[in-house]
Amino acid sequence: MTQVILKQLNPIVIEKLKRLAQSHQRTLEEEITSILEDVAEKEEEQTKSEGFWDMTLQFRERMQQENITFDDADFADLRDRSVGRDVEF
């Protein structure tokens, strides 16, 4: 197993981790290992599932959470109606 040394961890964070470990009946090392494994697993799951549809659902969910709405006026002048650029053949 690989050893990881954290030299500059905030003492407040360490105390919080110790309390969390105690509440889960683990050692500090076991708690930190568990947290890191959970984060890595969630990141892997998220990376696998972030297709277009998943991202669309996340977008809709966030819109609902933040109570953001759109109406036709928001999209009225969205399209560029210029004729474009001249092209020589």
Side-chain angles (χ1 to χ4, degrees):
M1 185 178 281
T2 302
Q3 184 178 37
V4 176
I5 298 172
L6 301 172
K7 292 182 180 181
Q8 296 182 2
L9 193 57
N10 185 331
I12 295 170
V13 173
I14 294 171
E15 286 305 313
K16 288 179 181 181
L17 287 169
K18 285 179 180 178
R19 285 195 300 273
L20 193 58
Q22 188 176 18
S23 72
H24 293 139
Q25 299 177 341
R26 299 177 180 151
T27 65
L28 180 59
E29 182 179 347
E30 290 169 339
E31 188 66 29
I32 292 170
T33 300
S34 176
I35 290 169
L36 292 174
E37 286 172 350
D38 288 348
V39 169
E41 188 175 312
K42 286 178 185 174
E43 181 68 26
E44 187 176 321
E45 288 174 9
Q46 188 175 13
T47 302
K48 286 180 183 177
S49 67
E50 284 191 3
F52 176 79
W53 184 246
D54 293 318
M55 295 299 288
T56 302
L57 293 176
Q58 288 176 16
F59 173 76
R60 289 179 177 174
E61 184 178 321
R62 182 131 185 224
M63 295 268 301
Q64 272 185 331
Q65 289 172 349
E66 296 185 19
N67 201 23
I68 299 172
T69 58
F70 292 121
D71 59 24
D72 290 341
D74 293 315
F75 299 99
D77 295 319
L78 188 63
R79 181 173 286 175
D80 180 7
R81 302 201 188 282
S82 67
V83 295
R85 60 185 177 158
D86 291 331
V87 178
E88 289 184 35
F89 294 101

